[in-house]
Amino acid sequence: FTIRPGTSEVWLGDVGWSEWEEINRIADPLGAVENFGWPCYEGNGRQSGYDNANLAICENLYALPGGVVAPYYGCNHSAQVVSGETCPTGSSSIAGLAFYPGGPFPDSYDGALFFADYSRDCIWVMFPGGNGLPNSGNRATFQAPAANPVALEVGPDGALYYADFDGGTIRRIAYHVNQPPVASASATPTNGPAPLTVNFDGS
């Protein structure tokens, strides 16, 4: 989980069972307790295994109108997070979340939510919308592949760090602008009568 900068909002990755991963938002941690439905719900629907078991705890929840808060964002295990990406589908586990507070990344990343999937070996970014909250419809693949990413953090240098769970390393993703060198030369003196001896400096 992570806290959205400048707020008390808690954003958390809810690892599902066989079909869905969720990102949930607790807008007011000091307010009413929100129920995201696990294990009776997975994603936006009932979790079939628990639904078929007819457990009283789930059946009571199913009968309670508005008893469950829907995910802020949900992804089916068989679907791509971003259409056409190289990240695999299948097994999934959201295992890292971090907001980008601003820094050397392009301005479009300011306020964005990074989220990682340990099983898919990928990291994505959810860019902010006009209201400042992450826009679940505006996602991009950020790092593919990533090395078993868990525990995302933005460092004081503005880079994104994550733990490689299987490899036992800490990884750093930094932003660099590749700009061509600028040629600059000076001459001393810059004018005078001929013949003129001139010293050039291109350092």
Side-chain angles (χ1 to χ4, degrees):
F1 69 90
T2 190
I3 308 295
R4 187 161 76 99
T7 75
S8 59
E9 296 173 4
V10 178
W11 292 69
L12 55 108
D14 186 352
V15 177
W17 188 8
S18 58
E19 294 185 35
W20 289 90
E21 298 299 293
E22 300 176 18
I23 294 176
N24 294 319
R25 172 186 178 228
I26 302 173
D28 182 7
L30 301 178
V33 175
E34 295 173 309
N35 188 340
F36 295 103
W38 181 255
C40 306
Y41 285 84
E42 184 183 17
N44 284 314
R46 297 180 181 188
Q47 205 292 323
S48 59
Y50 281 89
D51 189 11
N52 293 335
N54 292 319
L55 301 172
I57 191 170
C58 290
E59 296 306 316
N60 291 338
L61 190 58
Y62 298 149
L64 183 63
V68 172
V69 176
Y72 191 86
Y73 168 72
C75 178
N76 190 284
H77 289 193
S78 64
Q80 292 181 314
V81 173
V82 175
S83 181
E85 69 182 357
T86 59
C87 298
T89 58
S91 180
S92 269
S93 55
I94 291 182
L97 296 165
F99 279 94
Y100 195 71
F105 286 16
D107 290 346
S108 60
Y109 284 86
D110 293 354
L113 176 64
F114 291 106
F115 60 104
D117 192 308
Y118 161 79
S119 301
R120 294 193 191 195
D121 290 329
C122 282
I123 301 173
W124 299 272
V125 60
M126 189 181 295
F127 294 101
N131 61 0
L133 293 171
N135 178 353
S136 62
N138 188 5
R139 302 179 308 277
T141 308
F142 182 73
Q143 181 69 35
N148 313 120
V150 298
L152 299 181
E153 294 287 342
V154 177
D157 60 351
L160 182 68
Y161 291 82
Y162 70 91
D164 168 2
F165 186 79
D166 289 347
T169 61
I170 302 297
R171 303 291 181 111
R172 177 178 181 261
I173 304 172
Y175 180 77
H176 298 283
V177 178
N178 293 325
Q179 295 182 350
V182 177
S184 177
S186 61
T188 306
T190 57
N191 60 56
L196 181 65
T197 301
V198 178
N199 295 311
F200 292 99
D201 181 2
S203 60

